[in-house]
């Protein structure tokens, strides 16, 4: 079956479809019929609109949902800065920290689990580009947590959409619009502004996050591939309405705003949406359902054929962010060097490894829970061991990546590295180049000149 056999069974029900118009109610009759904001919504609920795009965005791009909740989201105290010295995911705003723009190829050893912190305080900005205040660019994070969020605490990012890639452990995500169980080999997207709480039913967790400050993720265009393939729209899952009824307890609402953490208090649960309808909601996807496309003749196609989700810039075909995976797949190309070729790219490539071994890096330095960054025009490709093996391999049909999953966050932007990513995490491999490419030897052999032919008739 083209789906993952998860060790942890599913806990929740979902609605299927990417960018579909969904409607769901936890209490029958809670959704108004034929109107969005009646004078008196059913059951004394409040109508509230959640807008992920401008009201006047083109219809095909418009992302809005109507929520029917026990109390409006606005019913809280003023936000105040919280833990300003310890929580900062926008370090260019701090004079003693900055984003480092460097041309070197970088690779990180596996990042440590941290059982002392919850989801919010586990977020470490590793690299990024742009500025969330201008709604431009991306942030790349590592998360590693060992504690549930407080039982009366919720979090949201006003800065962008979170694309979450679990590497270890299970995330139980209670969002305003319903619940998601997210396991390794799945991803989930929590849109800008959606409030949620993360608990850890199987213990400590670790993984990667791509925060998109600019626009929203879409499925890539298929062009000559046709109408199906890659990630199919039917396989994306959105939550069904689920609500708690609590209007007496004190809750803390945490906001990531311009990279800093703020907190407000409220005397009701934020998870009180009884029904909702629209196009703006969290969702998840099983990467085991990705329909891989590849060459059945010769040459290695560009890795864009492995794109799951994309966020385009204002220049079509050029992405602010692509999420690309390298799943198990067959290689059958004839007379072809099958791993990715050596290349330099106008795009920046950040790679992570969820499990197994990536087929272009068999030297051992690229490990699960580690990462690499090949920035704009940084030369890279297979390590020396991979090149030697692939150059001599028998070109019979070969399945690669069994039990493995590597991924890439790709961007047209030049991606800088934070102080934490470059030094404080203590995971940068100083010998990355020495291990990967310096062992390559010249193989060039000048052709022997052909014997001079003498035209006997000219003598």
């Amino acid at each position: 079956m083209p789906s993952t056999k998860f060790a942890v069974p599913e806990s929740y029900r979902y609605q299927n479809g990417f960018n579909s118009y969904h409607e769901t109610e936890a209490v029958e009759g809670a959704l108004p019929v034929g109107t969005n904001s009646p004078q008196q919504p059913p059951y004394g609920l409040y109508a509230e609109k959640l807008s992920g795009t401008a009201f006047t965005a083109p219809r095909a791009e418009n992302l809005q949902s109507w929520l029917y909740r026990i109390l409006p989201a606005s019913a809280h105290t003023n936000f105040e800065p919280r833990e300003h010295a310890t929580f900062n995911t926008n370090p260019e705003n701090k004079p003693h920290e900055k984003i480092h723009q460097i041309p070197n190829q970088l690779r990180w050893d596996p990042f440590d689990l941290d059982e002392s912190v919850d989801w919010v305080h586990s977020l470490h900005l590793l690299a990024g580009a742009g500025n969330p205040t201008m709604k431009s660019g991306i942030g790349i994070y590592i998360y590693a947590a060992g504690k549930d969020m407080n039982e009366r605490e919720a979090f949201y990012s006003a800065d962008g959409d979170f694309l979450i890639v679990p590497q270890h452990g299970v995330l139980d995500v209670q969002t305003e619009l319903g619940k998601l169980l997210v396991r390794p080999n799945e991803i989930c997207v929590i849109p800008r502004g959606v409030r949620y709480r993360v608990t850890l039913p199987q213990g400590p967790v670790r993984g990667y996050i791509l925060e998109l400050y600019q626009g929203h993720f879409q499925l890539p265009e298929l062009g000559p591939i046709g109408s199906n393939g890659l990630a199919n729209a039917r396989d994306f899952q959105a939550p069904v309405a689920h609500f708690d009824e609590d209007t007496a307890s004190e809750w803390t609402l945490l906001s990531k705003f311009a990279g800093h953490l703020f907190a407000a208090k409220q005397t009701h649960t934020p998870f009180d949406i009884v029904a909702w309808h629209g196009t703006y909601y969290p969702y998840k996807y099983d990467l085991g359902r990705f329909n891989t496309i590849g060459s059945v003749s010769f040459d290695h196609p560009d890795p864009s054929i492995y794109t799951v989700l994309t966020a385009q810039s204002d220049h079509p075909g050029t992405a602010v962010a692509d999420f690309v995976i390298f799943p198990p797949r067959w290689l059958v190309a004839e007379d072809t060097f099958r791993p990715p070729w050596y290349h330099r790219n106008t795009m920046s490539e950040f790679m992570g490894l969820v499990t197994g071994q990536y087929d272009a890096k068999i030297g051992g330095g690229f490990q699960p829970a580690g990462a690499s960054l090949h920035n704009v025009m940084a030369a890279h490709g297979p390590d020396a061991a991979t090149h030697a093996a692939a150059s001599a391999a028998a070109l019979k049909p070969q399945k690669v990546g069994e039990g493995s999953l590597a991924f890439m966050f790709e961007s047209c932007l030049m991606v800088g590295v934070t102080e934490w990513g470059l030094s404080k995490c203590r995971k940068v491999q100083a010998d990355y180049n020495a291990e990967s490419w310096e062992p390559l030897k010249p193989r060039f052999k000048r052709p022997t000149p052909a014997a001079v032919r003498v035209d006997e008739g000219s003598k």
Side-chain angles (χ1 to χ4, degrees):
M1 291 291 292
S3 58
T4 302
K5 293 181 173 61
F6 294 105
V8 177
E10 183 57 75
S11 301
Y12 306 120
R13 294 186 301 111
Y14 302 98
Q15 308 173 87
N16 291 345
F18 184 84
N19 210 20
S20 299
Y21 202 105
H22 288 309
E23 65 175 29
T24 172
E25 55 186 11
V27 174
E28 186 176 359
L31 277 173
V33 176
T35 180
N36 292 321
S37 55
Q39 184 183 28
Q40 296 184 6
Y43 307 128
L45 296 171
Y46 287 86
E48 178 178 277
K49 189 173 187 180
L50 178 62
S51 299
T53 56
F55 298 148
T56 52
R59 183 182 290 264
E61 302 171 12
N62 207 291
L63 298 175
Q64 320 276 343
S65 287
W66 279 94
L67 320 175
Y68 302 93
R69 60 192 317 155
I70 295 172
L71 283 169
S74 55
H76 58 72
T77 65
N78 287 339
F79 281 99
E80 301 291 344
R82 174 164 163 174
E83 302 174 77
H84 220 72
T86 59
F87 183 95
N88 177 33
T89 58
N90 196 17
E92 65 271 21
N93 287 347
K94 295 176 74 174
H96 57 285
E97 293 188 20
K98 65 177 183 177
I99 292 282
H100 297 268
Q101 299 288 354
I102 53 179
N104 294 332
Q105 304 99 325
L106 293 171
R107 189 162 69 187
W108 289 268
D109 285 329
F111 295 94
D112 295 329
L113 290 167
D114 186 350
E115 298 191 27
S116 68
V117 295
D118 65 8
W119 170 261
V120 176
H121 295 90
S122 79
L123 301 177
H124 286 286
L125 182 65
L126 182 71
N131 188 330
T133 68
M134 299 298 292
K135 293 188 176 179
S136 65
I138 58 171
I140 296 172
Y141 301 81
I142 300 298
Y143 72 84
K147 296 165 58 176
D148 293 346
M149 289 178 61
N150 186 290
E151 64 179 353
R152 292 190 177 88
E153 196 170 73
F155 170 78
Y156 74 93
S157 174
D159 295 342
D161 292 3
F162 268 32
L163 189 161
I164 302 168
V165 185
Q167 186 275 325
H168 176 85
V170 177
L171 304 175
D172 194 328
V173 186
Q174 181 178 14
T175 80
E176 295 178 274
L177 290 88
K179 295 184 175 183
L180 300 166
L181 189 75
V182 190
R183 301 154 289 185
N185 222 59
E186 289 182 306
I187 60 169
C188 76
V189 173
I190 310 293
R192 182 197 305 267
V194 170
R195 299 171 180 181
Y196 63 100
R197 176 175 175 264
V198 177
T199 56
L200 317 178
Q202 299 289 315
V205 297
R206 176 177 55 199
Y208 313 83
I209 298 171
L210 174 61
E211 185 171 24
L212 179 65
Y213 305 148
Q214 180 172 347
H216 300 282
F217 292 104
Q218 295 292 326
L219 293 176
E221 299 295 340
L222 293 179
I225 292 174
S227 55
N228 301 104
L230 309 185
N232 289 310
R234 65 171 294 201
D235 294 322
F236 288 81
Q237 297 178 302
V240 298
H242 178 279
F243 73 99
D244 295 331
E245 193 171 357
D246 177 4
T247 56
S249 303
E250 183 177 79
W251 281 73
T252 299
L253 180 60
L254 300 173
S255 172
K256 177 179 174 292
F257 196 91
H260 298 289
L261 191 64
F262 294 82
K265 299 292 186 181
Q266 60 184 58
T267 56
H268 58 98
T269 175
F271 305 115
D272 65 350
I273 295 175
V274 181
W276 62 268
H277 69 89
T279 55
Y280 194 60
Y281 44 77
Y283 55 88
K284 74 169 188 170
Y285 174 71
D286 174 6
L287 297 171
R289 300 190 181 195
F290 187 79
N291 182 210
T292 309
I293 304 295
S295 172
V296 292
S297 56
F298 61 90
D299 278 354
H300 187 294
D302 293 332
S304 48
I305 58 170
Y306 304 128
T307 302
V308 180
L309 293 170
T310 185
Q312 294 290 297
S313 69
D314 56 4
H315 187 78
T318 302
V320 172
D322 280 334
F323 174 63
V324 179
I325 64 171
F326 302 95
R329 61 203 183 278
W330 282 96
L331 300 182
V332 300
E334 299 176 343
D335 190 23
T336 295
F337 182 79
R338 288 177 175 175
W341 10 249
Y342 296 104
H343 61 290
R344 292 171 292 165
N345 195 350
T346 188
M347 307 286 280
S348 297
E349 301 177 9
F350 175 90
M351 286 196 65
L353 186 61
V354 173
T355 187
Q357 182 184 72
Y358 177 46
D359 56 290
K361 290 286 191 298
I362 65 174
F366 187 44
Q367 302 172 55
S372 66
L373 174 63
H374 303 133
N375 225 317
V376 172
M377 289 303 169
H380 59 287
D383 56 33
T386 304
H387 183 271
S391 297
L395 293 181
K396 58 184 179 181
Q398 173 191 15
K399 192 164 190 181
V400 299
E402 287 276 38
S404 175
L405 178 67
F407 72 88
M408 180 165 65
F409 298 152
E410 187 175 60
S411 176
C412 64
L413 306 174
M414 188 173 286
V415 174
V417 184
T418 63
E419 290 277 355
W420 185 85
L422 201 58
S423 59
K424 290 182 179 179
C425 70
R426 297 187 175 183
K427 296 297 179 182
V428 173
Q429 296 179 5
D431 61 350
Y432 181 29
N433 290 54
E435 183 268 323
S436 296
W437 301 295
E438 289 182 18
L440 291 166
K441 305 297 182 186
R443 297 165 30 138
F444 176 67
K445 295 181 180 178
R446 186 180 295 276
T448 302
V452 177
R453 295 178 58 190
V454 178
D455 186 346
E456 295 295 337
S458 65
K459 290 183 179 178

